[in-house]
């Protein structure tokens, strides 16, 4: 089975040659072999969908174009032996709410999936020596760090954290009518920047909430992002991460599928849908191999690409018009580093602190710069919000003793005025600028502590995973809905993944929702299939 081992990954700074890897699963599948469902793509949502279908007793084939399964949920030793680095996602706080995990429907712990919850959730250091820290489920300890910056903001934080908890505990019908619920709703429709100005006195509190609030993809400069003014409260609920890396979710799902008779093949990019009498009957891969599905094909291919894999008239005008209107979100960069020691951040009392993640932006007004730069195709690098991930501080299984795997990521323009290809010329310089800026916020890191690096521009991210269209790790801007239906216009074809309802991020909801619909069309219910939640 092809899972996340070092031999399954092509070690390269660009990561683009992943598609050329000859490695497979070690399990051949004959073109004449009969499968109930053929799943095109092995992102976490399609793996979840395939797992439910396999648990229902179906013969399932999963075809992945890259050398590894997982899509945006991969962990690999891209830096040096022993350094396990998350290539894209790290936190699994959203999928933790999914019944898949909440009700233990597939019992993935038995297949190697286990999470930890960092006590120091997010740290916000500033160059003037100030800092804020979010502690797991501890509003008082978190507020104490805020009080060093602003006693008024600390009191506001305590009061509003309690109010948000009360609103969350109300039945949905009552939330909109409660005074506290109305207060938060009115702030939600503002931009995060305007809401933060209404709520917080200190520029540091405004900057911290806006930099940490940008992580889902939309900057707090936009209307309707007012909830980002409270992102520190959201982080306080916890940001669990899998032991061994984010990719352990994909590993566990792959093991589950194979344990239930499914087959996973890598190095098999799907190039064409097989259409017979107007119905989808299978797929053809780039190498010419063909696989047939008795019941249906399930796609997680980005719909922008999928529409070219069958005759245009079969998709219908409504779907094509919908997809034509899609916009990419802000593109992402991800810079990976192997360090000889973990970072330390200075505290006001003279002590130092490490944690799982940090967020950096000096000025709240800097949240506007990214959208302006995207419109111009330019880069202003001095204060873009940066998300820093160093989960190995809590999970030593990811690194050699005493070392650290560090990731710097954030939003950045994809379409430079010189064209996207210009990223190949400037990415090293951009990475050096951000690394130097980041190290100024630590007490111990210097460039000689860097043992290895892998630099991924937005263009590299798209090359690594074509579903991350124009460098959008969530596949598109999902704010206006307009999702692809799970049941596609071509009979026998279903869609899952970030192009469908719930959209991007590690939620697992598109995968579970698609499975429920597919099972329903096959005369079953998901509830019947999962039973008591224990794996069969």
């Amino acid at each position: 089975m092809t899972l996340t081992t070092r031999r399954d990954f092509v070690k390269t700074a660009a990561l683009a040659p992943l598609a050329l890897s000859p490695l497979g699963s070690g399990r051949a599948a004959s073109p004449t072999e009969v499968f109930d469902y053929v799943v095109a793509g092995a992102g976490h949502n399609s793996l979840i969908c395939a797992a439910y279908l396999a648990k229902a007793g179906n013969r399932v084939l999963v075809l992945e174009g890259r050398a590894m399964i997982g899509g945006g949920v991969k962990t690999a030793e891209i830096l040096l032996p022993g350094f396990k680095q998350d290539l894209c996602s790290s936190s699994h706080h959203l999928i933790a709410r999914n019944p898949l995990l909440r009700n233990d429907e597939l019992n993935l712990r038995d297949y190697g999936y286990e999470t930890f919850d960092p006590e120091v959730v997010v740290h916000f250091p500033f160059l003037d020596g100030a800092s804020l820290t979010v502690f797991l489920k501890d509003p008082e300890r978190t507020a104490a760090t805020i009080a060093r910056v602003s006693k008024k903001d600390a009191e506001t934080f305590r009061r509003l954290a309690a109010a948000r908890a009360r609103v969350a505990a109300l039945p949905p019908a009552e939330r909109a009518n409660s005074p506290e619920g109305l207060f938060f709703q009115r702030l939600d429709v503002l931009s995060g920047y305007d809401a933060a100005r209404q709520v917080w006195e200190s520029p540091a509190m405004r900057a911290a909430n806006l930099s940490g609030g940008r992580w889902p993809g939309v900057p707090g400069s936009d209307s309707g992002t007012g909830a980002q003014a409270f992102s520190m409260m959201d982080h306080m609920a916890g940001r669990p991460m899998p032991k061994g890396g984010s990719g352990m979710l994909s590993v566990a799902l792959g093991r589950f599928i194979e344990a239930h008779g499914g087959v996973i093949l890598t190095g098999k990019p799907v190039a064409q849908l097989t259409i017979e009498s107007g119905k989808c009957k299978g797929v053809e891969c780039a190498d010419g191999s063909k696989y047939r599905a008795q019941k249906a094909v399930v796609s997680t291919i980005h719909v922008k690409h999928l529409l070219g894999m069958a005759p245009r008239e079969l998709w219908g005008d409504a779907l094509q018009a919908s997809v034509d209107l899609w916009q990419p979100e802000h593109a992402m960069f991800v810079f990976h580093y192997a360090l000889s020691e973990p970072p330390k951040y200075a505290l006001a009392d003279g002590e130092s602190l490490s944690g799982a993640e940090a967020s950096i932006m000096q000025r709240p007004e800097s949240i506007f710069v990214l959208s302006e730069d995207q419109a111009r195709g330019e880069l202003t690098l001095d204060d873009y919000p940066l998300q820093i991930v160093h989960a190995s501080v809590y999970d030593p299984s990811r690194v050699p003793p005493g070392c650290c795997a560090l990731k710097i990521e954030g939003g950045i323009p994809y379409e430079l005025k010189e064209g996207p290809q210009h990223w190949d010329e400037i990415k090293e310089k951009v990475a050096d600028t951000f690394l130097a800026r980041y190290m100024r916020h630590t007490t111990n890191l210097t460039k000689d502590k860097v043992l290895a690096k892998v630099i991924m521009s937005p263009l590299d991210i798209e090359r690594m995973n074509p579903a991350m269209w124009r460098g959008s790790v969530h596949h598109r801007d999902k704010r206006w809905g307009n999702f692809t239906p799970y049941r596609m216009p071509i009979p026998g074809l279903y869609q899952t993944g970030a192009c469908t309802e719930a959209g991007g991020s590690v939620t697992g909801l598109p995968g579970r929702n698609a499975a429920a619909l597919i099972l329903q069309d096959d005369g079953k219910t998901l509830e019947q299939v999962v039973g008591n939640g224990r794996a069969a």
Side-chain angles (χ1 to χ4, degrees):
M1 174 171 57
T2 297
L3 297 170
T4 48
T5 64
R6 188 163 186 266
R7 82 171 182 86
D8 293 333
F9 197 85
V10 179
K11 184 183 175 186
T12 165
L15 299 181
L18 273 172
L20 306 179
S21 171
L23 298 172
S25 67
R27 159 71 162 87
S30 166
T32 60
E33 193 168 350
V34 176
F35 294 96
D36 294 308
Y37 294 97
V38 173
V39 180
H44 84 283
N45 279 302
S46 48
L47 290 172
I48 287 169
C49 183
Y52 282 113
L53 296 178
K55 185 172 173 61
N58 294 293
R59 289 278 290 140
V60 177
L61 170 65
V62 180
L63 300 170
E64 168 56 39
R66 291 329 201 217
M68 292 174 62
I69 63 173
V73 187
K74 291 176 181 171
T75 302
E77 295 183 5
I78 58 171
L79 294 162
L80 292 170
F83 285 85
K84 299 174 183 177
Q85 187 73 321
D86 294 336
L87 301 190
C88 188
S89 68
S90 288
S91 174
H92 286 204
H93 61 291
L94 295 176
I95 197 171
R97 308 168 194 167
N98 189 316
L100 162 73
L101 298 182
R102 193 180 69 238
N103 298 339
D104 203 18
E105 290 179 339
L106 300 180
N107 198 28
L108 292 182
R109 188 183 180 95
D110 282 357
Y111 296 87
Y113 181 74
E114 185 178 356
T115 62
F116 62 94
D117 241 339
E119 178 191 16
V120 178
V121 185
V122 187
H123 184 65
F124 301 89
F126 293 88
L127 289 175
D128 64 1
S131 67
L132 305 165
T133 308
V134 174
F135 292 96
L136 179 64
K137 296 179 174 62
D138 196 334
E140 189 53 44
R141 195 176 176 194
T142 301
T145 74
I146 299 171
R148 299 189 189 117
V149 173
S150 166
K151 288 184 170 57
K152 179 180 178 182
D153 283 346
E155 287 305 313
T156 300
F157 183 88
R158 293 183 180 99
R159 176 171 52 83
L160 293 184
R164 287 185 105 214
R166 287 193 294 269
V167 170
L170 292 173
E174 295 181 26
R175 291 176 194 171
N177 297 320
S178 72
E180 291 176 330
L182 285 170
F183 170 78
F184 289 115
Q185 285 182 40
R186 287 166 179 162
L187 287 175
D188 284 352
V189 301
L190 301 177
S191 70
Y193 178 82
D194 286 334
R197 289 186 64 195
Q198 292 293 321
V199 173
W200 308 117
E201 171 187 67
S202 164
M205 271 296 282
R206 297 172 187 173
N209 280 283
L210 291 173
S211 68
R214 197 222 62 83
W215 292 357
V218 181
S221 55
D222 292 12
S223 297
T225 60
Q228 291 187 20
F230 309 103
S231 71
M232 289 176 64
M233 297 178 194
D234 294 330
H235 295 326
M236 195 167 57
R239 290 177 58 82
M241 300 176 176
K243 292 182 179 179
S246 182
M248 286 306 297
L249 173 63
S250 303
V251 170
L253 289 164
R255 290 171 178 166
F256 183 97
I257 291 165
E258 292 197 337
H260 288 73
V263 177
I264 300 173
L265 300 180
T266 56
K268 288 283 186 180
V270 171
Q272 200 73 22
L273 300 176
T274 301
I275 308 296
E276 297 175 2
S277 302
K279 296 183 178 180
C280 188
K281 293 293 188 178
V283 302
E284 180 176 347
C285 296
D287 62 5
S289 56
K290 299 179 181 181
Y291 301 93
R292 295 184 65 83
Q294 286 192 315
K295 294 183 178 180
V297 170
V298 183
S299 162
T300 190
I301 298 166
H302 197 291
V303 177
K304 285 279 189 181
H305 307 313
L306 184 68
L307 290 180
M309 296 184 182
R312 181 174 177 85
E313 62 271 14
L314 296 181
W315 297 110
D317 293 339
L319 177 62
Q320 294 182 68
S322 169
V323 174
D324 285 345
L325 292 174
W326 284 3
Q327 298 296 314
E329 65 179 359
H330 285 296
M332 289 281 289
F333 67 88
V334 185
F335 303 153
H336 302 276
Y337 300 93
L339 303 179
S340 59
E341 61 186 77
K344 294 180 181 178
Y345 303 103
L347 300 178
D349 59 7
E351 297 294 323
S352 65
L353 172 145
S354 294
E357 295 179 277
S359 192
I360 291 174
M361 187 174 73
Q362 296 297 305
R363 304 177 300 276
E365 294 78 16
S366 294
I367 204 66
F368 290 94
V369 175
L370 184 57
S371 293
E372 295 174 0
D373 280 3
Q374 181 161 284
R376 296 193 302 261
E378 298 178 353
L379 301 177
T380 307
L381 303 180
D382 65 324
D383 201 29
Y384 281 171
L386 303 180
Q387 181 179 1
I388 316 297
V389 183
H390 31 70
S392 59
V393 169
Y394 280 93
D395 183 8
S397 72
R398 300 182 184 216
V399 293
C403 294
C404 178
L406 181 125
K407 181 170 62 168
I408 301 177
E409 59 191 1
I412 208 160
Y414 172 91
E415 186 69 53
L416 301 175
K417 61 184 179 183
E418 300 87 350
Q421 298 297 328
H422 189 55
W423 270 112
D424 290 337
E425 298 179 31
I426 67 171
K427 65 181 181 182
E428 292 285 345
K429 182 178 179 181
V430 171
D432 288 345
T433 299
F434 281 161
L435 180 63
R437 178 183 152 207
Y438 164 64
M439 286 182 168
R440 292 172 60 201
H441 293 79
T442 72
T443 64
N444 65 318
L445 292 186
T446 51
K447 287 192 175 181
D448 62 297
K449 304 292 176 65
V450 177
L451 306 176
K453 64 181 180 179
V454 169
I455 304 305
M456 296 179 63
S457 72
L459 187 58
D460 292 324
I461 288 172
E462 185 177 42
R463 287 165 173 160
M464 181 182 71
N465 187 346
M468 294 179 178
W469 171 56
R470 296 179 64 83
S472 302
V473 297
H474 299 126
H475 299 198
R476 55 180 287 246
D477 190 328
K478 67 178 184 180
R479 281 178 290 173
W480 298 279
N482 197 18
F483 293 109
T484 300
Y486 294 116
R487 191 186 287 112
M488 294 292 272
I490 300 176
L493 178 66
Y494 295 88
Q495 180 74 14
T496 186
C499 293
T500 61
E501 183 70 39
S505 297
V506 187
T507 70
L509 290 173
R512 188 178 184 274
N513 292 347
L517 186 83
I518 295 166
L519 289 168
Q520 175 185 318
D521 289 351
D522 195 34
K524 303 180 180 70
T525 68
L526 187 142
E527 290 73 22
Q528 290 170 338
V529 169
V530 299
N532 63 3
R534 303 297 295 179

